[in-house]
């Protein structure tokens, strides 16, 4: 509190907002220390949390709206929010795994106007908590993880494959789905699992921080 080596609290440290609460720890995955989250979020099931994250910008906490971007950890952002963040030159603890615009990829997402959900262009199934998507970093296409794995059965690690949606070449590695695999460099292949759970996100963040991310 001044003079004792501590920090001066800001308004967010002292004032609670209706319907929100402070995070329990100092900087949980995706949140900076002392940030506020919706109180109801901690009572959601894993699938409900993922569905919420499929609809919400991880940076601004506003509803996702085209154009949408993703980072190498598979988190989703409004492009406008990403650009504003980069131009502000005010680093956030929750964004330490990124360094600049090259660490984000604009997504080629298909939107179904009837269900108002993002869908897999191959299977026409909704992407969300129970059917997560895979981003092919090289081209930006987003495909159902189930469909992607089925189509990639014949491919081996490090092999150059073709995107099932646009046919553009990319580097494949099946270990991209094994978040605990110790020697898998997340920048050495083009597979990004979208909206991982918090445990998976933690492994990815640790690898990216250790790697010292420098986007291709």
């Amino acid at each position: 509190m001044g003079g004792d080596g501590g920090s001066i609290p800001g308004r967010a440290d002292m004032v609670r907002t209706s319907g929100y609460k402070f995070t329990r720890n100092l900087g949980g995955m995706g949140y900076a220390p002392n940030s506020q989250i919706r109180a109801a979020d901690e009572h959601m099931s894993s699938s409900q949390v993922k569905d919420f994250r499929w609809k919400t910008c991880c940076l601004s906490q506003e509803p996702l709206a085209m154009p949408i971007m993703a980072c190498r950890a598979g988190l989703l952002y409004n492009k406008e929010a990403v650009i504003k963040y980069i131009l502000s030159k005010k680093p956030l603890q929750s964004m330490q795994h990124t360094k600049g615009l090259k660490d984000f990829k604009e997504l080629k997402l298909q939107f179904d106007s009837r269900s108002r959900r993002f869908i897999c262009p191959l299977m026409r199934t909704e992407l969300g908590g129970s059917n997560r998507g895979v981003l092919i970093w090289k081209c930006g296409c987003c495909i159902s993880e189930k469909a992607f794995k089925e189509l990639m059965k014949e491919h081996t690690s490090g092999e150059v494959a073709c995107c099932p949606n646009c046919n553009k070449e990319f580097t494949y590695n099946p270990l991209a789905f094994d978040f605990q695999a110790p020697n898998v460099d997340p920048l050495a292949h083009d597979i990004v699992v979208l909206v991982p759970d918090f445990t998976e996100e933690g492994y990815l963040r640790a690898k990216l921080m250790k790697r010292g991310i420098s986007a291709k």
Side-chain angles (χ1 to χ4, degrees), residues 13-142:
D13 295 311
M14 298 182 288
V15 180
R16 289 182 182 271
T17 304
S18 178
Y20 286 74
K21 64 186 291 184
F22 294 119
T23 51
R24 292 177 180 173
N25 54 41
L26 295 180
M29 293 304 170
Y31 299 106
N34 294 328
S35 63
Q36 296 185 56
I37 62 173
R38 298 189 185 194
D41 291 353
E42 289 199 346
H43 303 290
M44 292 180 178
S45 67
S46 176
S47 180
Q48 287 174 322
V49 170
K50 287 180 181 179
D51 276 334
F52 176 78
R53 298 177 92 194
W54 265 101
K55 301 174 183 177
T56 309
C57 171
C58 279
L59 189 55
S60 68
Q61 297 301 305
E62 295 178 351
L64 285 172
M66 297 288 201
I68 295 170
M69 307 189 86
C71 63
R72 284 281 185 172
L75 307 180
L76 303 181
Y77 312 84
N78 287 327
K79 185 175 182 178
E80 181 181 3
V82 170
I83 293 174
K84 284 183 177 179
Y85 167 68
I86 293 172
L87 292 177
S88 73
K89 297 183 179 180
K90 296 179 180 179
L92 295 175
Q93 182 174 345
S94 61
M95 300 297 289
Q96 287 181 343
H97 63 296
T98 67
K99 300 297 181 183
L101 191 58
K102 290 184 178 180
D103 297 332
F104 298 88
K105 185 71 176 182
E106 187 168 336
L107 307 184
K108 296 177 182 176
L109 281 165
Q110 287 201 13
F111 183 73
D112 182 70
S113 57
R114 290 178 297 178
S115 65
R116 302 195 64 78
R117 299 294 295 269
F118 299 115
I119 60 173
C120 171
L122 304 179
M123 305 298 293
R124 312 304 296 178
T125 53
E126 294 180 1
L127 299 177
S130 59
N131 183 37
R132 64 183 181 182
V134 170
L135 161 66
I136 300 177
W137 190 268
K138 188 75 72 174
C139 59
C141 291
C142 300

Side-chain angles (χ1 to χ4, degrees), residues 182-199:
N183 299 317
V184 179
D185 182 352
L187 301 184
H189 58 79
D190 293 308
I191 308 304
V192 177
V193 176
L194 295 175
V195 191
D197 63 33
F198 290 121
T199 300

